[in-house]
Every structure is written in C-alpha cells, then in structure tokens.
Amino acid sequence: MAAAEQDTGDRDGKGGPVRRRGFLKAASGTALTAVGVVPAPATAPAVAPTIGFSMPSLTFDDPATQRRLGTLYASALTDVSDRNTIRADPAVYDKAGLLTDPPGTLVRAGAGYPTPQRWTRDAAVNAWSAASLLAPGLGRNTLWSVVDRGPGGLIVQQDNQWWDQVVWIVAAWHHYLVTGDRDFLARAHETSVNTMEAREAHSFNGAYGLFRGPGFMNDGISGYPDPPSTEGVRSSFVLDHPHAAELLCLSTNCLYYGARSALAAMADALGKPTEATSWRASAERLRVAVDRYLWRPDAGTYAYLVHGGGPFAGRVDTSQEGAGLALALLLGVADGQRARRILDSTHWQPHGIVNVWPHFARFGAGRPGRHNVMVWPMVHGLYGLAAAVAGRTEPFARAVETFADLASGSGGDFYEVYDSVSGKVDGGWQSGASGRAEHFVSQPHQTWSATAYLRLVHEGLVGLESSADAVRLRPCLPRRWGPVQLRGLRWRGLTLDIALTGAGNRVRSCTVDGRPGAPVLAAAETGRHTVELMLDGE
C-alpha cells in the first residue's frame, strides 16, 4: 500500500501488532481469524456493482490446467469487479473534480484495509495491470482518485511517499493506449508534466543523474540493509530511518525512465514534437545513469541501490531487487543483451521471485523480513510478465504456476504476501513502533495481487500489446498447458475471442475471422472478432 506503516494497537492472535498504513486507524472491534487474517472493517464502504466491467472467460482444453489456472482467473475477475470495486465518495476521492458517474466507482487497494484508501501506488498499479483494460470508466476514476487540483493545475497528490508518484504517469499512458480516450490524455499530460517537474525539483540527484527515494515496493524498513535500517528507531516506515530519503534505487529509477518515456509518447500523441524530443532525451540520460551505477557486468544483473548520503555514501548494495529487475525489463531500461543475462541469472525461491534477495543480516529463514525474502504476488507477477514479453516460455510458466499454487493454497484468495519457502500466507518480520522486530499480518483480498494474475493472462499468455493505433497479439504459451481460449476480451471498440494452439512464442499461422492475416487489429475497427493463432517454438 502507498502510505507508511504504523502500529495501530490492534493485536493478532499471538499478541503482535496489526499493521495499517500512514494516517489510517483500524476499525474498533476488528479481530483476526485463526489464520491471522483481518476481515474488512465494519466501516468499509459497501461494495458496488461495476458498470462496464467486461468478464472474459479463460478455458484450457486440459482439465487439470483449467482447474489449476483457469478457475483462478475467474476468481481474480470477481475479486476485482465485485469485492474491491467500491462507490467513490466525492468528498474523499474527487479532489481533482474529474470522477464520473457512471460508473461512480473505483478500485480500492484491498478488502483487508480500513478506509479511505487514497493511495497512489495501488491506484496506478491496479489501473495499469487490469482495471483500465477491463473497465475503462473504473480505471479512469481510479487514476483520478489520487490526483489533486493545485495552484499550478492538476498534479498527483503530493504526499510523504513521493517516490510513488511517477508510476501514475506510466499507468496513465497505458490507460490511453487501451482506451483511446483523448480527453483523458490531455488532462493526464497536464498532470504528468506537473508531477514530473515537482519530482525533478525535489528528488533528482545531479551528481549521479539518478532520482532519490526508496524502492518501488519497499516502503517498510525491512526492505533495506543496515544502514539505512537503524536499531532503536521506533518506526517501520523507511523515511523515518537516517539517510533513507537519499537512496538511489533500481526500481524507482526504472519507473522514472518509464515516466519520462510515457511523457514523450503523450507529447507526440498531442502534437508536441519539441517537448517529446526533450522528454525522450532526458529518459535516455537516465537509462545511461542506471547502467553506469547499477549494472553489474560480472553478475549479469543490476544492483539494488546506491547509498546517496550518510556514512555509506557511494556504496552499492548488490542485492537482487525483484521489482527492479522486472521493471528494467518491462520498461526498456535493459537492452536485449542485458535482458537475456538478467533472465538467466535471477534467483528464484521455491515459491517465486522475492522483493529483495538474499536475507539481510538481521533476518533469516525462520524470520524473513517483510520486504526482504518474501513473495509479494504483484512483484512476482511483474517478473513473470517480463519473462513472457521476452519470449521465455519456461520462466513464464513457472511464474504463473507458482502464483496459482500460492493463491490456491490460501483458499483461492489473493493475499498480500507469502512465505517464499513454505508458500504459506505470512506477513513477515519488521521493526515497528516498539523498536523491535515484530510479526506482521498478510492482508486478504489484495487487489494488486488479483490484477497481477489477470495481467499475466492478458499481456503474458495472450500477449496483448497496445499501441496508439492498433492492438497486436504476441502470445507465450507453455507446451504443457495445451490449447487455450480467452473469449470476450474487450479492447476499445473490439471484443476479441482468442484461441491459441501449439506452444512457444512464435506465431506460425494466424486467422482473423477465418481469414489468414497478421495478429493485429486496427484501433479503428469495432465489433466481435475471432483470432486463432498456431504457435511454434521460442
């Protein structure tokens, strides 16, 4: 979630604190079930039916694969569209005055948290991963719900987790690509420019050419070595620890690269070529800086971070950051050669890709750090998608199957975080308000875990690739899954029924409505279309 963690005074069944985020207070009377799950508070807003939410169907010919993977896809759709779509209270979520009704709803971060949940990272990730594609009105409202109207115009909310703001820019450009909404694009461009200018003024470290700030997924201090983690600090929030604000992290700088690239694309689409050239050049300078300071040619991967200040200033931490590697691949920071080396060298735990590997000295297998050697499905899903986009069928299959087994092992629910060795639901360990390591709770019905699985199907398995004027299919089908059909997937004015046979990521043949052709449909087309693809090898 996007705000800082803090101790609310709630206790789990073993006397440990239940964690919430930032300014939030736990609802009175909240209790934990026997498995350590916090149910949605009584004060949570009523779940509202979503207007315009498409519900595609995923069907594998092989019954075992259908039970393992296909059933979970339907569960993920329901988790997002029913359980975590809520009515949008304008007083809380419409600071920009841009929410619309219909649909009058937005996607919340998860059913296990109290309200309000006005968190930039969650809103942006959920729109980017699935909401904008499946329910454009819902995705649009979710993005606008974390935007303010300031003196200089529209801007992503300027909260104390400022490094989260630029993922909104990446998600906003994606929203335009899957919807073609030019009215949204114009306002998103204004929002993005103002947000990036604020971040460049506040967060850019000119000596390195990199942006300051903690890692994308690691707002908890358990995601960092000693230092910046400092014994005796009575807080789990990363910025409460000395010099944490000066860190130069892989994932965050990859997102800044993606945001600058998205700004260039927005400017091109709006007929602003000079501006587009400037943003593209600044993105390239950032990519070069990431390679200069964080690429490890000896190991064939990127380092986690550079200490930007304090006694360790200039020192590189060579830990593996799961989200950082995934974003480097997905957003184009890593070139083709580097991408191949990353995919060949990445460390996997028994149950997936973890936040940061290996254990920091204060943690271990018996007490893994909450943001350290733990599987957050959203991070794991990003890496699996990166493997699919790179055409790596086997690691993609491993990622999807591991993800499905985690969720199935927790009763079909999409939890926040899992133990990477046992695969069990577990929130991990982290220092908190007591100043000591405490056992945290893993929240149920975590929206970005569900949308991560949906994205693995839409953009990984089927290979949905959106551009301003067309949609292309670049599937990645593991051989052991057999033939599969995804029916009723909407993209702009199109409804697609997609059938995949064979295996691999090379399209051997394609028919569109029975006629041979390329797996590409123009944005100007409308109506329902059947696309059949035969795949052959990697």
Side-chain angles (χ1 to χ4, degrees), residues 56-59 457-458 461-465 471-475 483-491 495-501 510-511 519 521 528-533 535:
S57 62
L58 180 68
T59 307
V457 172
H458 301 150
L461 173 61
V462 170
L464 197 73
E465 183 182 277
V471 62
R472 176 181 291 273
L473 301 179
R474 299 183 185 274
V484 59
Q485 300 83 41
L486 181 66
R487 296 179 57 81
L489 181 67
R490 290 204 300 234
W491 186 88
T495 299
L496 303 177
D497 296 330
I498 303 163
L500 307 178
T501 56
C510 172
T511 62
L521 289 93
R528 192 158 196 143
H529 299 274
T530 298
V531 185
E532 298 178 308
L533 299 105
L535 304 172

Side-chain angles (χ1 to χ4, degrees), residues 176 183 198 240 342:
Y176 169 68
D183 179 65
D240 290 337
I342 290 168

Side-chain angles (χ1 to χ4, degrees), residues 409-488:
S410 54
D413 188 5
F414 294 88
Y415 277 81
E416 180 184 39
V417 58
Y418 296 80
D419 186 280
S420 68
V421 176
S422 70
K424 294 180 179 179
V425 174
D426 194 314
W429 293 80
Q430 185 165 239
S431 62
S434 69
R436 303 184 305 273
E438 298 165 356
H439 199 191
F440 279 57
V441 170
S442 177
Q443 295 293 339
H445 306 306
Q446 186 83 1
T447 312
W448 68 18
S449 295
T451 58
Y453 190 77
L454 295 174
R455 192 177 187 187
L456 284 169
V457 172
H458 301 150
E459 298 180 35
L461 173 61
V462 170
L464 197 73
E465 183 182 277
S466 302
S467 67
D469 56 4
V471 62
R472 176 181 291 273
L473 301 179
R474 299 183 185 274
C476 186
L477 177 61
R479 186 169 302 279
R480 59 182 174 271
W481 292 359
V484 59
Q485 300 83 41
L486 181 66
R487 296 179 57 81

